[in-house]
Amino acid sequence: MAEIEIKNLHKSFGDFVAVKNSNLIIENKEFFVLLGPSGCGKTTTLRMIAGLELPTSGNIYLDKEDVGYLRASQRDIAFVFQLFALYPHMNVRNNLAFPLKMQKLSRSEVDAKVLEAAKLLRIDHLLKSKVSSLAGGDRQRVALGRALVRRPKAFLMDEPLGTLDAEFRELMCLELRKLHDDIDATTVYVTHDQQEAMSMADRIAVMNEGVVLQADSPKVIYNKPKTKFVANFIGSPGMNFIPINEKISPSQSSIKLLDSSLNIPEQKEGTDSNENFLGVRPENLKLVSENGVKGNVFGVEYLGSRKILTIETQLGNIKIRVDSDTQVNINEQIQFDTLNNNQIIFDGSNDKALQSEFMS
Ligand code: ATP
């Protein structure tokens, strides 16, 4: 079992604050992803959990034991960098045995653990092969085996698939997730790739400028982002943010956009500001023949099973997802409305989502 808790974790390099008073509980057996743009503090957080960087202040608990100021070797955690870090001149068996020999285990213990890891990764038939002779996928599995063979309490992975091409990456995402499930370890995984995060994680923590903005399941992060930043970082194409030039009051359930009125979920709080945003994903809008918001078709992207329309309006460009058999022409005037109740009002003064019938 391995639960990792970070409490008021803070790291500065001179005057620069890389991680700001972060709090997180990563549950036992969870596949937990730290996601955010370059420089937001993901790697620094991971390195502090691993013991490769000391916190400036705050605590890190591994199964309730404060390990924040222990050396890396005193924590039962494996850090997987890029998956390529292997010894090419050695065979698979020796690559896998290496971390165990460092632990001074007996020959028979090493053999048993190597075989167990190799079977899990389906590379037991390759134990005598030289790493340099292996195909890419098998080589990746050996690299994973190197981390796995010690059976640590937790795996920390920093963009492990960073250098792989798209096809391989997809395959390795599936393999990593399956491996995680097979061995019941806790995994903390760093990436800046939202698709990778969405496809693998039990929960995602979205970070920006050293701060954890939200930690939730991919579904909640996608559908109910708490801030405009989180909403914008997830989804492809991203959420539309339509400016609303009116103050929002509690219990409001429609807004004026241009000369029409759009239904929104009943709000539970209001704003002080007159400048707010309606956050709506492209799949939560629909084309209508009357009483909608008017615009002109500016672009049509055909994506096989669906199309993404870019609509030029006086409120800016808005993206709408439609079925691929929907016929629209460039420059055609269309109208759109909300499809369901999945809209979010973001307070223009602080970019936070308002509580509503939908958000709560
Ligand atoms: P990336 O995906 O680019 O690695 P990240 O989110 O992992 O980004 P970190 O590597 O944690 O970000 O870095 C956060 C900030 O801290 C960056 O601005 C980085 O330049 C700075 N930083 C990291 N390590 C050091 C260091 N040893 N000395 C000074 N600044 C550092």
Side-chain angles (χ1 to χ4, degrees):
M1 116 127 195
E3 176 198 270
I4 300 168
E5 178 175 6
I6 67 178
K7 221 170 188 176
N8 300 324
L9 192 65
H10 196 83
K11 177 72 187 179
S12 36
F13 295 105
D15 288 342
F16 180 78
V17 179
V19 176
K20 277 182 209 159
N21 292 318
S22 290
N23 290 289
L24 280 175
I25 296 182
I26 298 161
E27 284 163 22
N28 184 33
K29 300 186 188 176
E30 202 169 23
F31 198 114
F32 192 90
V33 173
L34 295 174
L35 175 70
S38 183
C40 72
K42 309 179 292 290
T43 297
T44 306
T45 304
L46 202 69
R47 286 174 60 82
M48 285 192 280
I49 298 174
L52 300 172
E53 200 81 69
L54 283 181
T56 306
S57 58
N59 302 87
I60 300 168
Y61 299 95
L62 181 63
D63 288 339
K64 315 278 182 213
E65 182 199 356
D66 191 351
V67 297
Y69 301 88
L70 293 184
R71 265 187 254 139
S73 57
Q74 293 170 297
R75 308 180 190 190
D76 193 5
I77 289 178
F79 199 107
V80 184
F81 299 90
Q82 298 273 325
L83 290 185
F84 279 119
L86 293 169
Y87 301 108
H89 57 284
M90 288 188 195
N91 66 20
V92 172
R93 181 191 303 280
N94 287 335
N95 265 280
L96 295 183
F98 191 81
L100 299 171
K101 287 184 180 158
M102 301 294 282
Q103 285 186 318
K104 310 224 182 318
L105 296 189
S106 72
R107 173 88 200 242
S108 59
E109 276 175 304
V110 171
D111 284 349
K113 283 178 187 281
V114 164
L115 190 61
E116 187 192 9
K119 278 189 173 157
L120 253 174
L121 289 156
R122 302 186 310 281
I123 48 171
D124 41 323
H125 59 295
L126 298 173
L127 284 171
K128 289 184 185 152
S129 310
K130 260 197 178 167
V131 163
S132 54
S133 71
L134 297 182
D138 288 333
R139 209 181 281 204
Q140 298 284 354
R141 284 183 202 101
V142 179
L144 269 179
R146 274 272 297 280
L148 168 73
V149 78
R150 283 202 294 125
R151 287 305 185 101
K153 282 187 172 176
F155 288 99
L156 309 181
M157 305 194 186
D158 192 359
E159 307 250 4
L161 311 180
T163 56
L164 302 182
D165 61 44
E167 190 187 344
F168 216 24
R169 231 178 138 105
E170 221 170 275
L171 178 68
M172 284 311 291
C173 278
L174 293 174
E175 296 227 0
L176 274 179
R177 178 66 223 210
K178 182 170 183 315
L179 185 68
H180 166 91
D181 293 343
D182 287 348
I183 62 179
D184 279 346
T186 306
T187 303
V188 190
Y189 187 101
V190 160
T191 182
H192 64 273
D193 183 322
Q194 49 123 353
Q195 267 175 355
E196 211 170 283
M198 295 290 279
S199 67
M200 282 199 278
D202 291 316
R203 280 194 306 147
I204 299 173
V206 180
M207 293 184 70
N208 190 35
E209 296 180 343
V211 177
V212 176
L213 298 174
Q214 185 170 356
D216 267 314
S217 69
K219 196 170 163 190
V220 173
I221 293 272
Y222 183 81
N223 290 307
K224 299 183 178 180
K226 288 183 180 155
T227 65
K228 215 170 146 220
F229 181 90
V230 174
N232 193 35
F233 198 73
I234 302 278
S236 170
M239 187 179 268
N240 294 296
F241 298 108
I242 307 174
I244 315 168
N245 295 317
E246 67 181 287
K247 199 164 159 170
I248 303 294
S249 36
S251 84
Q252 189 165 334
S253 59
S254 69
I255 49 166
K256 263 187 87 60
L257 281 187
L258 302 176
D259 50 4
S260 50
S261 163
L262 277 194
N263 290 330
I264 55 168
E266 190 173 305
Q267 300 300 298
K268 294 196 171 164
E269 42 181 355
T271 61
D272 291 331
S273 168
N274 291 322
E275 290 177 7
N276 302 298
F277 296 93
L278 173 70
V280 53
R281 295 222 174 260
E283 64 270 28
N284 295 329
L285 291 170
K286 64 176 177 192
L287 299 183
V288 291
S289 49
E290 54 184 8
N291 299 330
V293 180
K294 294 189 181 69
N296 289 315
V297 178
F298 178 74
V300 180
E301 288 163 80
Y302 177 71
L303 299 176
S305 60
R306 59 201 187 280
K307 283 177 182 167
I308 303 293
L309 310 181
T310 303
I311 311 297
E312 208 170 34
T313 75
Q314 285 173 33
L315 301 163
N317 283 357
I318 288 160
K319 293 199 183 271
I320 304 181
R321 192 179 87 183
V322 294
D323 288 340
S324 57
D325 51 11
T326 305
Q327 286 302 327
V328 283
N329 299 311
I330 300 285
N331 291 330
E332 185 179 332
Q333 196 182 59
I334 56 95
Q335 297 185 38
F336 66 85
D337 199 348
T338 47
L339 175 67
N340 48 32
N341 239 6
N342 299 5
Q343 295 85 36
I344 305 169
I345 303 289
F346 291 99
D347 186 330
S349 67
N350 57 19
D351 286 346
K352 286 193 177 153
L354 296 190
Q355 280 303 313
S356 69
E357 223 176 14
F358 171 64
M359 284 299 282
S360 50

